[in-house]
Amino acid sequence: MGTALIYDEEMTNYKLLWVDPACKIEVPERLTVSYEALVKSGLADRCVSLPVREATDADILLVHSEEYLEAVKKTPYMTLEDLMDFCSQYGDVYFHPNIYHCAKLAAGSALQLVDSVMMGKVRNGMALVRPPGHHSMRNAASGFCVFNNVAIAAQYAKQKYAVERILIVDWDIHHGQGVQDCFEDDPRVLYFSWHRYEHQKFWPNLRDSDFDRVGNEKGAGFNVNVPWNKVGMKNSDYLSVFCHLFLPVAYEFCPDLVLVCAGFDSAIGDPEGEMCATPDIFAHLTHLLMNLAGGKLCAVLEGGYNLTSLPQSVCQTVQTLLGDPAPRPANLDGPCLSALESLHCVRSAHKKYWSCLKHAADLPTCEVSTKRNKVGEEEINEEQSKQEPVWRECPKTLPPDISAAALLPDDGICPERCYSLKSSEDLDPSIVNKLKEHILKDTEDCETLSTLSRLTVLIDKMEKNEIGSGLALVKDISKAVICVVQHAAAAPMNRVLVVYVGDGVVPFHTNEDGKTLVVQFTTQKSEEIQSKYLIPVCLQKDYSDIPGFIQATLSLLLPLGYEYDPSLVVVVQTSGCGLSHNVWQQLIGLLRGLAQGHTLVLMQEDQNAYVGPTASSLLGDPAPPLGPLEAPLPENVESTEKLRLRLKADWNFLLTTGNVK
Ligand SMILES: CC(O)(O)CCCCCNCCCN
Ligand SMILES: [Zn+2]
């Protein structure tokens, strides 16, 4: 199934007709540069182009009042001064004779996305629209917004498709107070928003945008606000919030549909956000949401005012929706202190609503600590913040010709869409000799020899990005792991993350050079941590505690993986670990965000039941939903939390609170 793209140049046919410094950044070029970038990069052609449509009165009345709609209907016939007068009752928004028409098209585009995704015509999609929507209220326009496109889409999905649970992720740098207002007592719509706040000094300057606004009555817990109290937030800050807050809560909620208020003013270079996250981060944010709701994701453009970073961010988002692997994230150095304080506050405000946060630390005793700068927190000095920010555009990556290869026993059936690495591949004698002297000293059995040499061929092709990912069923998994790790780690720049699922001794020791990082999910009690690079995640009894496994994956494995930033991810499943296919697919799907999607899965020969599900995830198919998650086993929460507390001295991404001691 494909990715929908909705765009119509009619939505560029309105603009600011008078002088208003607050509104001058919202220009038609925002849409044209974004669409042109998609066309130029070839991404538009890979999408399913859907036509726009006008939202009807009934659609608009799902969120807005009759009197507001009637008032907006009059604007096409207003004189210039009437228009200016009409705007003066609202904040930071302008009207134009054609904006009502465009606002109906923007809302209608969001509904087109919902229809095509819910009817299974496409897997996901993006609508490039203006005017944006997330600030507009039931009775008022606000912040360049006329109708609340995403809020209307959510109400529409509930009404027309009886969708039980909808997640709205708002990564725009402004708080979508219109969305919050619409759903704050609705437990069927979970709203995530981060936004520049600076202790209420930033627009829209609302007390209601702070972390303690968690929703009302039945909706308590279903409104999650992450206030950024400083500018300059970076990729690490955004990823930390995803790993330690948004994703654990989203997986517990288990939405049937994900709507994204895709504002790109949270990217570097934007005059509104003044943040430092680079456009490629949106590939990761998109990827991390794509294994929710069976991949049903509708992204609707909100803000984004830097005409260079906006198109780059839009391309990163659409390319990921198309299933291309995300680029390796550049220089992640961990969350800043201010971000950690915000994260700490939100997690403690929500710990009573979400079992995945039950263990979260309570609010710092003196709440005042979130109100003033911490001593020593570096301030972005004046002249530095005055300079125009520059960033390296992410190199255009074409997806590898072969997305996934399978290395199976000769009688194995290669899953469709997979390339089969047959043993007929002529064995390169140099590889064979190297293997002989290093690994296969004694045994001469040619089957192992053939398997191992094909594995090294596979790794070389992944390194050259000729093949994206691979799966192999092998007889002797220890030998295979040793061979793969030695071969992959040999190249000077390479780093290998080995995710070991199952008991048994890891068949090699990780030396302190950091070339390999092993994270082992095991049911055996772990003694002290041997090394920074061998991390035993101990889950009690078997792997039946799915919430516990997911919690450890999201808040331990993923942050470690992002910080380690491997060039290859090797996932090893030893037999009998009994992980359910769905959980296994979530694990593979999430790990695919690392190493530019270069994931190699090694399994014992007797596990060909996992071949199909593994191939599907390696090919970028969304993992099936797990269903709303119960509370993880207390002993698993405890052991994972204890491990995190022990490791956070070495790994910044494991921090979740401001007190970094
Ligand atoms: C969709 C959106 O969230 O990007 C709209 C943002 C509106 C900002 C209003 N204040 C602008 C002050 C100008 N310096
Ligand atoms: Zn914005």
Side-chain angles (χ1 to χ4, degrees), residues 22 92 132 134-135 143-144 172 174 203 265 272 302-303 305:
D92 287 23
H134 70 154
H135 297 302
F144 315 151
D172 185 287
H174 297 92
W203 191 91
D265 42 16
E272 281 294 297
E302 293 282 357
Y305 307 97

Side-chain angles (χ1 to χ4, degrees), residues 268-270 274-276 306 384-391:
I268 191 166
D270 193 277
E274 294 188 79
M275 298 298 169
C276 295
N306 178 304
Q384 185 194 353
S385 66
K386 288 284 167 290
Q387 282 154 5
E388 272 307 298
V390 286
W391 64 96

Side-chain angles (χ1 to χ4, degrees), residues 4-25:
L5 176 62
I6 303 186
Y7 167 76
D8 190 299
E9 70 163 342
E10 176 57 18
M11 285 182 275
T12 66
N13 292 335
Y14 79 91
K15 64 183 180 183
L16 183 57
L17 295 174
W18 51 81
V19 174
D20 177 354
C23 295
K24 69 177 187 310
I25 51 174

Side-chain angles (χ1 to χ4, degrees), residues 121-144:
K121 285 205 192 98
V122 293
R123 169 181 296 165
N124 55 36
M126 171 129 212
L128 290 179
V129 303
R130 67 187 278 273
H134 70 154
H135 297 302
S136 61
M137 321 287 279
R138 179 172 163 68
N139 284 307
S142 168
F144 315 151

